[in-house]
Amino acid sequence: MIKVSKFLCFVLTILAITGCKNDKEVALNTNTSSSEIVEAKIDSIISLLTLEEKVALCHAQSKFSTKGVERLGIPEIWMADGPHGVRAEISWDDWAYAGWTNDSITAFPALTCLASTFNPSLAEQFGVALGEEAKYRKKDVLLGPGVNIYRTPMNGRNFEYMGEDPFLASKMVVPYIQGVQRNGVAACVKHFALNNQERWRDEVNVEVSDRALHEIYLPAFKAAVTEANVWSIMGAYNKFRGQYTTHHELLTKQILKGDWGFDGVVVSDWSSTHNTMEAALNGLDIEMGTGTDGLGTTTANHYSNYFLANPFLKALKNGEIPESIVDDKVRRVLRLRYRTNMSNNRSLGRANNKEHHDVARQVATEGIVLLKNDNNFFPIKDETGITIAVIGENATRSMTKGGGSSELKPKFEVSPLQGLQERYKNAKIIHSMGYASGASVYDNVLPSPYDADSLRTKAIEVAKQADIILFVGGLTKSHLQDSEGDDRRQYQLPFGQEELLRDIKNVNKNVGFVMLTGNAVEMPWLDSVEGLLQSWYLGSMAGHAIADVISGNVNPSGKLPFSFPKKLEDNAAISFGPESYPGVDLTRINDNATLNLESNPPVSPTQEYKEGILVGYRWHDTKNIEPQFAFGYGLSYTSFELSDIRVDHQDDSFTVTCGVANTGDMDGAEVVQVYVGKTDSKVQRALKELKGFSKVKVNKGEKQSVSITIDKADLAFYDESISDWNLEKGDYEVYVGNASNNISKKLNIRIN
Ligand code: BGC
């Protein structure tokens, strides 16, 4: 007996060490002995590499790949955008699409929509499906998710992120990453950190307090690292306290790799590296895209001129930089390979299959937020004899095109009009474009090819013939709208939509608005619509999801992941003027020319996050500024009642329990939200902050019980006087409701 088990042990050890055992299991298995074997293998590889080979692992060899080491069988690394689908193949050396015919994928909803579901298990399904598509496309690193915080509605890239609340973003990003990485594909959480606007992103310097940094801007990244064990992270373009964030002494070196113990790879954003010594010493591991800032410039032998290429090699050779620095980077990039492409049994993945389309549709339907529903405008029955006019450019415009790096080439994209036409078989659907804008291209605003007056006249005629108007409008994925590269310039709806809505209303009062945006907009027209659905950018299944909700096949349950201020000045960052957003050139602060930021952009802008921790609803609540629509808000076709709300204490946590009764006549889902505020704090606090939530499905006439446990440690604030978290003793208020502005009960707890 003893002899047999000794022999078995021997065989297993040999198999593990020689790599004959399933490599992926070894790489993915977190138990110490397996990771010890992987780390030992990495050490032995490092000892075989020349300095040139090591350096070559630390920078790009093409737009989206890095070199391998052929003689040792170490593969290249291939990366692809992005957060809500795998981007089409890009050329080797420039930003042009490669024109492949086998790179179309499923477009999943953008992350504002995912956040609106308040459903972490759906985030995991999203991640699993997306990871499978990345693997099918032979990608090792998926450049997403993005968790920069929604600071102002002007940020062109808000649609790619998970809203204004660090707790919500943390809860959603962790399962997303776990889902992607389960496939042996690395997620790359981005953009670390403080890339909360696109305007002047390459040069703007951000000044923010330590407290806001730790309480608002870092938690989702921290959760990605410490809870989800994300395998890579992307630096940002902007500076923080005068230093570029991609190779930042405090952010990347001390906090990320030191305090959080990140053992993965820091990848630069495309062209966010600026300095060899800082890149080498402050923790950048792979440099990508230098000299190609999205505008497509490139030079001969470009990749060897990167900061982490020849200049790095030179500094290593002459002893300015110790070899242990490059060894640490190589160790991380090899670890990334063991986690991804250096596994024997990596499956092939799959794309465009029914299961992925179902996930995309479910996220889309659960993320749509019903903002207004006077006289039960929605759902709209499919009845013979009624005519529904679908008016607006977004009814037919592709929303997977444009937007920058998250642009997608889906195999198909069901438009809202198509979805409605397929769903409504009895009612008559008529359509008119109503208004138009130009095509979505990067960094440029193109004019509409159509005559605005003719479009409007036609739409009014169509509106007169209809019983119900569905106005499908909002923003587009174009430059100066919801897009990478720059910010919006206006808070109002663009392209004459406000006027068109007014004219339609004059001939037909029965108007519902289906709004496709990734951002809040001003709503002076709100009284003139009966119903309003916030519909985001929903990807391949957009039209089906919208039709599901409009028809009542799905009861909406989405909640806003950010506040909609009534007017732009009600937003915290904006209220402090250009020094807070979008930034100013301090050397020219007394120069009147700086006031015209459009014609005279600052060369070296800096901005101060003067609102500190009071971002989003924290600002609206604390300063008593009523938003148009509040964080966490969203209606349903049924009604819910929260009852028997109470709180129970455990040693290190407390549990809120309540009953959720569906008192209407349709099955539905509700999100119970728990916010906590500190009374008599020694520091400024937000009135309340989200600390727990739970989405629960309740059939009509039924009641479910919900319980949400919160760690007491989560009530701590970041105390700048000790540079650490501080849990104040004393009284706290616990607010339980179904929106930040709809609290059913307030309770008191005491921390001793
Ligand atoms: C974006 C990143 C993106 C990269 C590669 C950059 O311009 O900021 O989010 O992953 O390009 O396309």
Side-chain angles (χ1 to χ4, degrees):
M1 231 2 227
I2 291 171
K3 268 188 188 159
V4 171
S5 61
K6 263 194 175 169
F7 177 70
L8 247 179
C9 242
F10 173 74
V11 170
L12 284 176
T13 313
I14 292 297
L15 283 178
I17 289 173
T18 55
C20 295
K21 186 175 185 284
N22 170 342
D23 248 358
K24 186 178 165 206
E25 260 173 46
V26 174
L28 298 182
N29 198 332
T30 48
N31 85 43
T32 344
S33 61
S34 306
S35 63
E36 268 168 15
I37 291 168
V38 169
E39 294 300 316
K41 285 182 181 178
I42 290 174
D43 279 339
S44 69
I45 294 172
I46 291 177
S47 71
L48 297 173
L49 294 174
T50 65
L51 205 51
E52 282 75 9
E53 284 168 335
K54 290 179 184 174
V55 168
L57 294 175
C58 301
H59 62 86
Q61 64 162 357
S62 78
K63 256 293 169 254
F64 282 92
S65 72
T66 67
K67 267 197 173 48
V69 188
E70 214 177 326
R71 71 180 179 94
L72 297 178
I74 295 169
E76 299 169 334
I77 291 177
W78 278 86
M79 312 182 185
D81 287 303
H84 47 260
V86 188
R87 192 181 185 184
E89 217 53 42
I90 305 272
S91 304
W92 184 267
D93 242 353
D94 64 45
W95 285 104
Y97 284 108
W100 290 14
T101 52
N102 58 353
D103 57 351
S104 56
I105 42 67
T106 305
F108 295 89
L111 298 197
T112 42
C113 176
L114 182 61
S116 302
T117 67
F118 276 66
N119 185 344
S121 73
L122 208 46
E124 186 183 357
Q125 291 175 43
F126 186 111
V128 169
L130 185 50
E132 286 182 344
E133 299 229 345
K135 200 161 48 169
Y136 177 82
R137 289 272 312 280
K138 298 191 167 50
K139 303 302 176 194
D140 310 310
V141 179
L142 181 85
L143 302 172
V147 287
N148 295 101
I149 288 290
Y150 189 112
R151 179 174 178 251
T152 90
M154 294 291 101
N155 181 11
R157 231 172 155 180
N158 279 334
F159 73 95
E160 278 191 58
Y161 305 140
M162 297 202 186
E164 71 186 21
D165 184 68
F167 181 82
L168 175 65
S170 303
K171 289 292 163 213
M172 298 302 286
V173 80
V174 169
Y176 172 120
I177 291 169
Q178 289 168 334
V180 169
Q181 295 192 164
R182 189 162 306 153
N183 293 287
V185 171
C188 183
V189 66
K190 65 191 189 185
H191 307 86
F192 189 69
L194 301 165
N195 183 182
N196 304 302
Q197 68 190 48
E198 288 297 285
R199 203 163 182 199
W200 310 325
R201 64 177 177 173
D202 296 314
E203 55 272 337
V204 71
N205 173 48
V206 177
E207 296 291 334
V208 60
S209 68
D210 277 349
R211 182 153 174 229
L213 179 72
H214 285 277
E215 290 189 19
I216 306 292
Y217 297 101
L218 293 185
F221 289 104
K222 185 177 181 184
V225 172
T226 59
E227 293 173 45
N229 293 319
V230 72
W231 294 336
S232 62
I233 190 165
M234 187 189 292
Y237 284 117
N238 49 287
K239 295 178 194 164
F240 165 52
R241 297 184 187 161
Q243 190 171 46
Y244 281 105
T245 46
T246 291
H247 33 68
H248 199 276
E249 184 162 5
L250 177 65
L251 291 176
T252 40
K253 190 177 167 190
Q254 287 181 34
I255 295 179
L256 175 64
K257 289 190 168 174
D259 300 349
W260 299 347
F262 177 61
D263 70 355
V265 167
V266 177
V267 181
S268 74
D269 201 342
W270 271 233
S271 208
S272 72
T273 312
H274 294 269
N275 178 305
T276 297
M277 288 309 274
E278 284 186 9
L281 301 178
N282 289 343
L284 177 63
D285 301 305
I286 297 183
E287 177 184 2
M288 299 297 295
T290 303
T292 55
D293 58 357
L295 304 174
T297 50
T298 182
T299 59
N301 296 325
H302 200 64
Y303 303 104
S304 51
N305 292 332
Y306 274 27
F307 294 99
L308 281 188
N310 284 348
F312 184 34
L313 183 63
K314 195 170 154 212
L316 285 161
K317 281 190 169 161
N318 68 22
E320 261 181 287
I321 296 173
E323 194 163 344
S324 58
I325 293 288
V326 71
D327 285 352
D328 176 64
K329 297 183 196 309
V330 170
R331 181 166 290 111
R332 288 165 185 273
V333 297
L334 290 174
R335 195 178 287 139
L336 180 73
R337 283 169 164 88
Y338 271 105
R339 287 167 164 169
T340 58
N341 57 17
M342 274 168 65
S343 45
N344 293 335
N345 72 336
R346 207 174 184 216
S347 64
L348 296 173
R350 51 188 184 157
N352 275 315
N353 48 316
K354 182 173 181 307
E355 291 82 353
H356 293 181
H357 298 154
D358 288 349
V359 170
R361 185 167 180 165
Q362 203 188 335
V363 172
T365 53
E366 272 202 37
I368 290 174
V369 187
L370 178 63
L371 291 176
K372 178 175 178 182
N373 204 19
D374 284 359
N375 307 313
N376 295 326
F377 180 89
F378 297 115
I380 298 170
K381 288 206 182 86
D382 182 15
E383 279 169 358
T384 309
I386 62 160
T387 301
I388 303 172
V390 178
I391 299 177
E393 188 189 31
N394 287 354
T396 49
R397 188 182 176 103
S398 165
M399 291 300 184
T400 55
K401 284 204 179 66
S405 56
S406 67
E407 173 172 77
L408 295 173
K409 177 183 160 190
K411 191 166 178 194
F412 63 85
E413 177 179 357
V414 181
S415 71
L417 179 64
Q418 185 191 340
L420 289 163
Q421 282 167 333
E422 288 183 22
R423 172 63 182 79
Y424 284 83
K425 298 291 183 207
N426 301 316
K428 184 174 167 199
I429 304 262
I430 54 178
H431 166 245
S432 181
M433 197 175 192
Y435 70 91
S437 59
S440 296
V441 290
Y442 192 73
D443 210 22
N444 201 354
V445 178
L446 296 183
S448 152
Y450 303 107
D451 178 67
D453 284 343
S454 314
L455 288 178
R456 181 178 308 201
T457 309
K458 180 73 192 155
I460 304 302
E461 269 171 37
V462 167
K464 283 182 189 160
Q465 299 160 27
D467 302 295
I468 297 169
I469 313 282
L470 285 175
F471 186 83
V472 187
L475 302 177
T476 62
K477 303 276 292 300
S478 305
H479 187 56
L480 306 186
Q481 303 287 316
D482 281 329
S483 178
E484 184 183 340
D486 208 337
D487 285 354
R488 298 165 69 195
R489 294 289 193 276
Q490 63 175 59
Y491 189 41
Q492 299 85 2
L493 285 174
F495 320 128
Q497 291 175 77
E498 289 192 356
E499 296 76 9
L500 179 60
L501 263 172
R502 188 197 52 215
D503 293 351
I504 290 174
K505 179 78 183 178
N506 285 339
V507 299
N508 191 329
K509 305 224 174 315
N510 208 13
V511 183
F513 193 163
V514 182
M515 200 166 80
L516 275 59
T517 71
N519 251 320
V521 299
E522 192 176 49
M523 299 182 176
W525 40 263
L526 189 59
D527 284 346
S528 67
V529 300
E530 299 283 293
L532 174 60
L533 277 177
Q534 175 58 43
S535 297
W536 317 117
Y537 300 121
L538 301 177
S540 296
M541 301 299 276
H544 289 321
I546 286 170
D548 285 343
V549 170
I550 289 179
S551 64
N553 282 10
V554 173
N555 190 350
S557 62
K559 303 283 178 178
L560 289 181
F562 52 81
S563 320
F564 279 49
K566 282 192 175 151
K567 47 187 198 309
L568 191 55
E569 303 71 50
D570 290 349
N571 167 264
I574 304 277
S575 75
F576 288 99
E579 285 173 46
S580 166
Y581 174 86
V584 292
D585 197 332
L586 289 177
T587 60
R588 297 192 312 180
I589 193 77
N590 295 319
D591 174 358
N592 275 344
T594 56
L595 295 178
N596 190 347
L597 299 169
E598 209 57 60
S599 62
N600 196 1
V603 182
S604 180
T606 200
Q607 65 180 160
E608 191 187 338
Y609 286 14
K610 295 191 177 193
E611 71 284 7
I613 57 158
L614 297 182
V615 174
Y617 68 89
R618 289 165 166 78
W619 173 259
H620 287 280
D621 269 4
T622 312
K623 300 288 177 186
N624 241 317
I625 300 170
E626 201 191 341
Q628 188 73 68
F629 292 109
F631 173 85
Y633 173 82
L635 300 169
S636 163
Y637 295 152
T638 187
S639 48
F640 293 100
E641 245 175 55
L642 307 191
S643 60
D644 316 318
I645 303 173
R646 61 164 221 268
V647 61
D648 294 306
H649 284 267
Q650 296 87 44
D651 287 346
D652 298 326
S653 57
F654 61 97
T655 301
V656 173
T657 40
C658 74
V660 183
N662 182 337
T663 52
D665 52 14
M666 197 172 184
D667 297 349
E670 181 58 295
V671 179
V672 178
Q673 302 165 37
V674 180
Y675 297 82
V676 181
K678 173 83 185 83
T679 34
D680 305 322
S681 174
K682 69 174 190 187
V683 293
Q684 182 192 40
R685 293 278 190 132
L687 179 76
K688 62 185 193 298
E689 298 180 307
L690 186 68
K691 296 293 175 190
F693 63 85
S694 176
K695 188 166 196 169
V696 58
K697 199 170 174 310
V698 194
N699 292 339
K700 62 180 173 190
E702 291 183 4
K703 190 173 171 182
Q704 298 281 342
S705 169
V706 166
S707 74
I708 298 170
T709 297
I710 296 167
D711 284 345
K712 289 179 183 167
D714 287 351
L715 307 187
F717 73 98
Y718 189 84
D719 190 339
E720 294 182 348
S721 70
I722 53 167
S723 297
D724 205 350
W725 294 90
N726 182 349
L727 178 60
E728 274 184 295
K729 295 198 162 70
D731 291 324
Y732 289 77
E733 311 260 36
V734 179
Y735 304 78
V736 186
N738 69 352
S740 66
N741 67 343
N742 191 23
I743 299 303
S744 308
K745 190 162 183 177
K746 208 164 95 178
L747 302 144
N748 184 271
I749 57 162
R750 210 178 153 72
I751 307 272
N752 296 311

